[in-house]
């Protein structure tokens, strides 16, 4: 790549032309998020979006060059739902937990984000993503980390949160397709999993002991809280 080349991204070029009063980029993004929440990433196309907006292709392409740019925009849009803590307003760990739970909640609300994050371009250049990262790095820096280590601490925390969130989103999407509640699906799965783990004594004992009267919703909450606490324990230990 030469110094004159620019990476293709909605964030690396100015907005195209004059905004049309009848259709704005903000309207396009809001409708795209609605369609994604309803039907998922694979069902979204510029054609289906134009139809939903009752707009022609020319109107859409005036604001968004292609689907890749659209995905960059919707990813940044939902990242804007995440609560960014105020630096110095309280304990750094409590603030980090609040932000982590907000990220998880966003992923569960928008399960398509799991696929989008693997295909989006320069999503990290979006203003909401950058605001979140800047605020959280500032939180860790205020706690006593150097700026480079604050960045790594944030990366470690977000890696856990996003990984757990994507797993949860996949599970909840499957539940939604089945039309069953979490408890109903757990009751259906239990005999199959019990039989499958029978040849594996530790897995079998763990399954039998942990699922006798398990509430799967509470189990998800407990697993997230446990994992997040252990990640933050490790991060906090670096301050000693």
């Amino acid at each position: 790549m030469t110094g004159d080349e620019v990476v293709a991204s909605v964030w690396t070029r100015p907005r195209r032309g004059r905004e049309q009063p009848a259709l704005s980029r903000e309207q396009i993004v809001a409708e795209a998020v609605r369609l994604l929440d309803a039907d998922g990433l694979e069902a979204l196309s510029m054609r289906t979006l134009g139809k939903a907006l009752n707009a022609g292709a020319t109107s859409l392409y005036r604001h968004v060059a292609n689907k890749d740019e659209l995905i960059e925009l919707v990813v940044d849009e939902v990242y804007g739902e995440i609560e960014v803590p105020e630096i110095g307003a309280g304990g750094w760990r409590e603030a980090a937990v609040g932000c982590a739970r907000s990220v998880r909640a966003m992923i569960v609300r928008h399960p398509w984000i799991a696929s989008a994050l693997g295909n989006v371009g320069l999503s990290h250049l979006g203003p909401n993503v950058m605001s979140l990262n800047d605020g959280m790095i500032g939180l860790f820096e205020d706690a006593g980390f150097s700026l480079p280590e604050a960045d790594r601490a944030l990366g470690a925390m977000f890696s856990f949160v996003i990984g757990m969130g994507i797993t949860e989103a996949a599970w909840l999407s499957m539940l939604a397709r089945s039309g069953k509640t979490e408890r109903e699906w757990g009751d259906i799965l239990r005999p199959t999993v019990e039989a499958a783990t029978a040849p594996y004594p530790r897995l079998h004992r763990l399954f039998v002991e942990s699922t006798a009267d398990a509430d799967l919703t509470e189990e998800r909450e407990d697993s997230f809280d446990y994992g997040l606490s252990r990640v933050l324990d490790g991060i906090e230990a670096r301050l000693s």
Side-chain angles (χ1 to χ4, degrees):
M1 179 182 294
T2 68
D4 296 330
E5 290 183 277
V6 177
V7 179
S9 169
V10 71
W11 308 117
T12 61
R13 65 165 177 79
R15 291 197 179 196
R16 297 184 168 193
R18 183 174 57 84
E19 293 271 334
Q20 291 181 319
L23 186 66
S24 67
R25 176 190 279 185
E26 289 71 25
Q27 288 174 299
I28 292 170
V29 173
E31 183 61 23
V33 171
R34 189 191 70 78
L35 291 173
L36 285 164
D37 288 344
D39 302 316
L41 187 63
E42 292 184 0
L44 180 68
S45 68
M46 298 296 280
R47 177 178 296 180
T48 58
L49 179 58
K51 185 176 180 179
L53 289 165
N54 196 27
T58 302
S59 297
L60 288 182
Y61 288 121
R62 183 180 298 274
H63 303 287
V64 184
N66 49 46
K67 185 177 177 179
D68 288 343
E69 285 198 359
L70 179 63
I71 297 303
E72 286 185 329
L73 288 168
V74 295
V75 166
D76 194 67
E77 180 73 11
V78 297
Y79 262 75
E81 299 173 8
I82 298 169
E83 298 175 10
V84 183
E86 183 179 345
I87 298 172
W92 72 269
R93 181 160 174 154
E94 181 181 354
V97 168
C99 181
R101 288 177 176 162
S102 186
V103 173
R104 176 196 179 207
M106 180 276 287
I107 295 172
V108 171
R109 279 195 303 272
H110 307 292
W112 50 267
I113 196 76
S115 300
L117 289 176
N119 295 284
V120 74
L122 300 182
S123 62
H124 58 278
L125 295 183
N128 287 327
V129 174
M130 294 184 78
S131 177
L132 170 66
N133 288 334
D134 188 71
M136 288 302 296
I137 288 173
L139 178 73
F140 285 118
E141 185 182 34
D142 188 63
F145 291 104
S146 67
L147 192 60
E149 188 160 13
D151 180 45
R152 292 192 174 186
L154 177 63
M157 186 185 84
F158 274 178
S159 292
F160 166 77
V161 174
I162 291 172
M164 285 289 289
I166 288 173
T167 301
E168 271 192 284
W171 164 251
L172 294 174
S173 295
M174 183 275 295
L175 279 179
R177 291 192 300 270
S178 74
K180 300 184 184 304
T181 67
E182 201 158 16
R183 180 172 292 277
E184 288 170 342
W185 193 244
D187 290 341
I188 292 170
L189 281 178
R190 190 167 288 110
T192 301
V193 177
E194 187 170 355
T197 58
Y200 308 97
R202 296 170 189 82
L203 290 178
H204 187 70
R205 189 171 73 249
L206 178 65
F207 177 77
V208 171
E209 292 176 358
S210 64
T211 63
D213 297 304
D215 182 314
L216 295 182
T217 303
E218 289 184 4
E219 284 288 315
R220 287 191 292 108
E221 295 289 336
D222 290 346
S223 292
F224 180 83
D225 287 344
Y226 177 87
L228 179 61
S229 293
R230 299 297 76 77
V231 170
L232 293 178
D233 284 347
I235 291 173
E236 190 169 23
R238 295 287 298 168
L239 290 173
S240 299

